[in-house]
Amino acid sequence: MATIKDIAKAAGVSVTTVSRALNGYGDVNEKTRKHIEETAKKLNYSPNAVARSLVMNKSRTIGLLVSELNRSGAKDMFTYEVMCGINDAASDVGYDLILFSTNTVKQKQKSYTQLCRERQVEGVIMQGIKKDDPYIKEVIDSNIPCVFVDVELEGDNVGFVTTDNVFGAQMAVKHLINLGHRHIAMVNGHDKAEVSQKRLKGYMKELQEAELPVKEDYVLNGGFLESKAESAAYNFLKTNRQVTAVFCASDLMALGVMRAARRLELNIPEDLSIVGFDDIVLSQYTSPPLTTIGQDKYQMGYEAAKLLTSMLTGKKSPHKKAVLDNQLLLRETTAPPK
Amino acid sequence: MATIKDIAKAAGVSVTTVSRALNGYGDVNEKTRKHIEETAKKLNYSPNAVARSLVMNKSRTIGLLVSELNRSGAKDMFTYEVMCGINDAASDVGYDLILFSTNTVKQKQKSYTQLCRERQVEGVIMQGIKKDDPYIKEVIDSNIPCVFVDVELEGDNVGFVTTDNVFGAQMAVKHLINLGHRHIAMVNGHDKAEVSQKRLKGYMKELQEAELPVKEDYVLNGGFLESKAESAAYNFLKTNRQVTAVFCASDLMALGVMRAARRLELNIPEDLSIVGFDDIVLSQYTSPPLTTIGQDKYQMGYEAAKLLTSMLTGKKSPHKKAVLDNQLLLRETTAPPK
DNA sequence: TTGTACGCGTTATCAT
DNA sequence: ATGATAACGCGTACAA
């Protein structure tokens, strides 16, 4: 509970000198500095970040805005791994993280700017928000630096981190085509997610390059939900036996498709090949293990935080975005068609 | 950026009146209050929580101290689910969460008390720390309210949340005994974790109640690591073919044991029954799906936050602890011995 | 019912 | 090299 005032009194100097001594200013006698540092230690002093924030108008804090942080996300762990990366990169440069979990109800009560200003966060990392989220407009208008995860938005103080979703999808589809598949369906997430749009684009692009027809009804909506993907795939596959392969925009949905296949007594990969996206931990443990496009989620978080802190420290870095590479992970859910 | 000063000027009143009006004090004319509220809205005012914290010496913030928040935890998701519960309960009552991830290096640089005081957190929830963690002593000594997850410590302003680990272990072992197993080994985590001690206790207790011998060399150290559990189990099972069942102190380690069994060409559950602990998401997807003791991780977090906030709001609640029940989840890794 | 004045712990400005 | 003093935005005795 000791303050610089206490130290000043104990050391017989003014608060100004204490402040300067403790903050490593040059214009303070080495002897007095030593003395001050010692009394500070003796009094078990630690600076009050709140008071400092108030006067400096900086908080050394970045807000982590996660939409719908809840149990449903527990399965794919995406959020968590990204968060670990953010945390590591942020604490490397002395920033703390404050967690803002939001949802539609809360958004009505408090605007984005309010949220940030209340806590005086210096910057924000946004994760898991949809493209039509009302906060997005506010972010652009506000002058608070922000980095999006998986939403490709750029601006004066807005950047983003994502992976090459188009190319990732292309890799997946190309792999299937190379195996000999000609009727390849896709289970996509909801179209409010940028990644859905990208992955769909990659899917179509690769089909076109292989001069395969792009059929609109081959694209199913799985809403990023295992259950929804399952039922969509079930209904589709029941009446489309010509389809021998499915590309899924997420591993979670791929799990749903695997379930559907099982119900239809389709063997994987003999009767149906499946490729997922994300490389969630689960995908190594399914039977058979899921072939998928791997994203480095930790790295995404790490890059996001690095990007943001470099924006904060005023480095006029020209790069306001980072696009990470993905990787085709061959496991056991793909094979040539019979 | 509007402050109460701006509002005062615009509304033609003093800052005091603004402060009182906005904070719902009774001693302010209804008309002036309305007026003030309107100008506040017009100026897009939002209170500065930092300034408020400074003067009130309260931050409406609770610190979430997670030891070794990193990728290795990604697999079992325990941390994340608990966090979701904490987050929900905290935001219900208007508290924000600040993330302190710590490790042994950082602990040397900054004491627990320093950490808390710097950020003026009102209380702390501690997760994932070992019993010999140096911070624990500080927590007890300090007067900052703290709730531990899975460390059974009580004090004036210290409480904890856990599940009934002893009974959970008993359920697991009893289940195996009821199936007819007589040689039941255990793979335990490291003994710096309270849960390890409890689960071991339950294991031994249940054996004793069934009048089965407790053999010391039947208890393996898996260190809560899949790989370590695998090698320990491999070496053990290779030379102890009489053992027909293994109880593991975590699902993660159970996965390791399953791997070991596979390498030894032991069929699960025919040749070897396995019971885990935790009910991580993965355990439903292994083949065969893992029989385990399920803990409600989200609820643990929720209760922890509720406990803490009730301590903070001064409710002299007599209950400084919460012990949740566990549940035996019968899946497919257990069967009678051949 | 309203306003004045002070303090929270810190940094920054300007003298000395 | 050091110190007095004013700010930062807010809450709250105390006075009016």
Side-chain angles (χ1 to χ4, degrees):
Chain A
M1 291 294 196
T3 73
I4 53 170
K5 226 182 234 169
D6 300 323
I7 299 177
K9 207 174 294 174
V13 293
S14 76
V15 291
T16 316
T17 313
V18 175
S19 176
R20 277 193 293 234
L22 262 31
N23 288 314
Y25 279 59
D27 58 349
V28 47
N29 191 302
E30 262 318 305
K31 247 179 77 181
T32 46
R33 152 168 288 131
K34 275 265 177 286
H35 183 210
I36 289 172
E37 275 169 354
E38 276 163 21
T39 50
K41 186 151 288 176
K42 195 153 52 194
L43 295 183
N44 198 8
Y45 169 79
S46 65
N48 184 328
V50 173
R52 184 180 279 162
S53 296
L54 182 60
V55 61
M56 307 260 281
N57 210 14
K58 300 229 163 178
S59 60
R60 282 259 135 192
T61 294
I62 80 183
L64 187 51
L65 195 46
V66 182
S67 189
E68 311 282 348
L69 177 70
N70 56 24
R71 276 174 288 185
S72 78
K75 216 172 217 174
D76 65 331
M77 285 290 302
F78 191 93
T79 308
Y80 180 76
E81 288 192 48
V82 174
M83 216 167 70
C84 291
I86 292 174
N87 182 63
D88 282 352
S91 73
D92 276 355
V93 289
Y95 276 83
D96 277 336
L97 248 45
I98 180 159
L99 214 57
F100 294 141
S101 86
T102 169
N103 53 47
T104 40
V105 180
K106 284 197 210 156
Q107 291 201 351
K108 268 163 201 143
Q109 299 164 353
K110 206 171 278 186
S111 77
Y112 167 76
T113 328
Q114 274 181 325
L115 209 60
C116 295
R117 279 216 299 252
E118 276 191 8
R119 288 296 181 172
Q120 301 273 105
V121 299
E122 292 187 35
V124 175
I125 295 177
M126 286 207 138
Q127 198 185 344
I129 58 163
K130 304 179 180 177
K131 285 203 81 170
D132 61 348
D133 191 297
Y135 270 15
I136 288 193
K137 222 176 71 64
E138 275 198 83
V139 172
I140 313 268
D141 295 339
S142 101
N143 55 349
I144 303 163
C146 178
V147 170
F148 286 95
V149 173
D150 273 342
V151 182
E152 305 198 4
L153 243 36
E154 263 185 295
D156 231 23
N157 33 34
V158 177
F160 66 89
V161 171
T162 189
T163 62
D164 193 339
N165 286 293
V166 175
F167 192 70
Q170 285 185 257
M171 283 195 295
V173 176
K174 174 175 240 122
H175 168 58
L176 292 170
I177 292 174
N178 285 345
L179 285 172
H181 293 278
R182 290 298 170 265
H183 291 274
I184 304 170
M186 170 171 185
V187 178
N188 205 0
H190 56 73
D191 56 2
K192 301 300 183 208
E194 179 129 27
V195 295
S196 294
Q197 304 173 2
K198 297 278 181 182
R199 290 169 195 174
L200 176 59
K201 192 172 162 189
Y203 163 78
M204 296 198 300
K205 191 169 172 190
E206 194 61 32
L207 288 183
Q208 281 158 0
E209 286 185 8
E211 292 179 356
L212 252 31
V214 177
K215 298 196 185 181
E216 209 168 295
D217 59 325
Y218 270 23
V219 178
L220 278 43
N221 181 7
F224 283 123
L225 263 30
E226 183 175 2
S227 56
K228 194 168 177 189
E230 176 180 347
S231 59
Y234 181 83
N235 293 329
F236 174 79
L237 292 172
K238 198 167 52 182
T239 54
N240 288 272
R241 306 310 271 232
Q242 77 283 10
V243 170
T244 56
V246 180
F247 164 55
C248 300
S250 82
D251 283 356
L252 211 53
M253 293 193 290
L255 296 184
V257 176
M258 287 174 78
R259 264 202 226 288
R262 216 163 291 131
R263 280 166 58 197
L264 292 164
E265 293 181 357
L266 258 32
N267 290 320
I268 300 169
E270 296 80 13
D271 303 324
L272 187 73
S273 285
I274 298 178
V275 181
F277 210 113
D278 285 346
D279 188 31
I280 63 177
V281 178
L282 262 178
S283 60
Q284 302 170 42
Y285 289 85
T286 52
S287 52
L290 182 65
T291 292
T292 190
I293 304 297
Q295 299 193 89
D296 193 339
K297 298 161 280 294
Y298 176 89
Q299 195 61 26
M300 286 177 78
Y302 197 88
E303 293 292 334
K306 256 182 44 183
L307 208 62
L308 183 63
T309 53
S310 85
M311 284 165 72
L312 292 178
T313 49
K315 276 180 208 141
K316 275 271 165 264
S317 50
H319 61 294
K320 286 235 177 40
K321 61 173 180 173
V323 180
L324 277 52
D325 282 336
N326 292 320
Q327 203 182 351
L328 174 62
L329 299 172
L330 293 174
R331 292 204 271 253
E332 299 166 28
T333 53
T334 50
K338 283 202 290 201
Chain B
M1 291 294 196
T3 73
I4 54 170
K5 224 183 237 169
D6 300 323
I7 299 177
K9 208 173 295 176
V13 294
S14 77
V15 291
T16 316
T17 313
V18 175
S19 176
R20 278 193 295 233
L22 263 30
N23 289 316
Y25 278 58
D27 59 350
V28 48
N29 190 302
E30 261 319 304
K31 248 180 75 181
T32 45
R33 151 169 288 131
K34 276 264 177 288
H35 183 211
I36 289 172
E37 275 168 354
E38 277 163 22
T39 49
K41 187 151 288 174
K42 196 153 52 195
L43 294 183
N44 197 8
Y45 170 79
S46 65
N48 184 328
V50 173
R52 185 180 278 161
S53 296
L54 184 59
V55 61
M56 306 263 281
N57 211 13
K58 301 230 164 181
S59 60
R60 281 259 136 193
T61 295
I62 80 184
L64 186 51
L65 195 45
V66 182
S67 188
E68 310 282 349
L69 176 71
N70 55 24
R71 276 173 288 185
S72 79
K75 216 171 217 174
D76 65 332
M77 286 290 302
F78 190 93
T79 308
Y80 180 76
E81 287 191 50
V82 174
M83 217 167 69
C84 291
I86 292 174
N87 182 62
D88 282 353
S91 72
D92 277 356
V93 290
Y95 276 84
D96 277 335
L97 247 45
I98 180 159
L99 212 58
F100 294 140
S101 87
T102 170
N103 52 47
T104 39
V105 181
K106 284 196 209 157
Q107 291 202 352
K108 267 165 201 142
Q109 298 164 353
K110 207 171 277 187
S111 78
Y112 168 76
T113 328
Q114 274 180 326
L115 210 60
C116 295
R117 279 217 298 252
E118 275 190 10
R119 288 295 181 173
Q120 299 274 106
V121 300
E122 292 187 35
V124 175
I125 295 176
M126 286 206 139
Q127 198 184 343
I129 57 163
K130 304 180 180 175
K131 286 202 82 172
D132 61 348
D133 190 298
Y135 270 15
I136 288 192
K137 222 177 73 64
E138 274 198 84
V139 172
I140 312 267
D141 295 339
S142 101
N143 54 350
I144 303 163
C146 178
V147 170
F148 287 95
V149 174
D150 273 343
V151 181
E152 304 197 5
L153 244 36
E154 262 184 295
D156 230 24
N157 33 33
V158 177
F160 66 88
V161 171
T162 189
T163 63
D164 193 339
N165 285 293
V166 176
F167 191 71
Q170 285 188 258
M171 283 196 294
V173 176
K174 174 174 240 121
H175 168 58
L176 292 170
I177 293 174
N178 285 344
L179 284 173
H181 293 278
R182 290 298 170 264
H183 291 273
I184 304 171
M186 171 172 184
V187 178
N188 205 0
H190 56 71
D191 57 2
K192 300 300 182 208
E194 179 128 28
V195 295
S196 294
Q197 304 172 2
K198 297 278 182 183
R199 290 169 195 174
L200 176 60
K201 191 172 162 189
Y203 162 79
M204 297 196 300
K205 191 170 172 190
E206 194 60 33
L207 288 183
Q208 281 158 359
E209 286 186 7
E211 292 178 357
L212 253 32
V214 178
K215 299 195 185 179
E216 209 168 296
D217 59 325
Y218 270 22
V219 178
L220 279 41
N221 181 8
F224 283 123
L225 263 28
E226 183 176 2
S227 56
K228 193 167 177 190
E230 176 179 347
S231 58
Y234 182 82
N235 293 328
F236 175 79
L237 292 172
K238 199 168 51 182
T239 53
N240 288 273
R241 306 309 272 229
Q242 77 282 11
V243 170
T244 56
V246 179
F247 163 56
C248 301
S250 82
D251 283 356
L252 211 53
M253 292 192 292
L255 296 184
V257 176
M258 287 174 77
R259 263 202 227 286
R262 216 163 291 131
R263 279 166 58 196
L264 292 165
E265 292 182 359
L266 257 32
N267 290 320
I268 301 169
E270 296 79 13
D271 303 325
L272 187 72
S273 285
I274 299 177
V275 182
F277 209 114
D278 284 345
D279 188 31
I280 63 176
V281 177
L282 263 177
S283 61
Q284 303 170 42
Y285 288 85
T286 52
S287 53
L290 182 67
T291 292
T292 190
I293 304 297
Q295 299 193 89
D296 193 338
K297 297 161 281 296
Y298 176 89
Q299 194 62 26
M300 286 176 78
Y302 197 89
E303 292 293 336
K306 256 182 45 184
L307 208 63
L308 183 62
T309 53
S310 86
M311 284 166 73
L312 291 178
T313 50
K315 275 178 208 142
K316 275 270 166 265
S317 51
H319 61 293
K320 284 232 177 42
K321 61 173 180 173
V323 180
L324 277 51
D325 281 336
N326 291 320
Q327 203 182 350
L328 174 62
L329 300 172
L330 294 174
R331 291 204 271 254
E332 300 165 28
T333 52
T334 50
K338 283 202 291 201

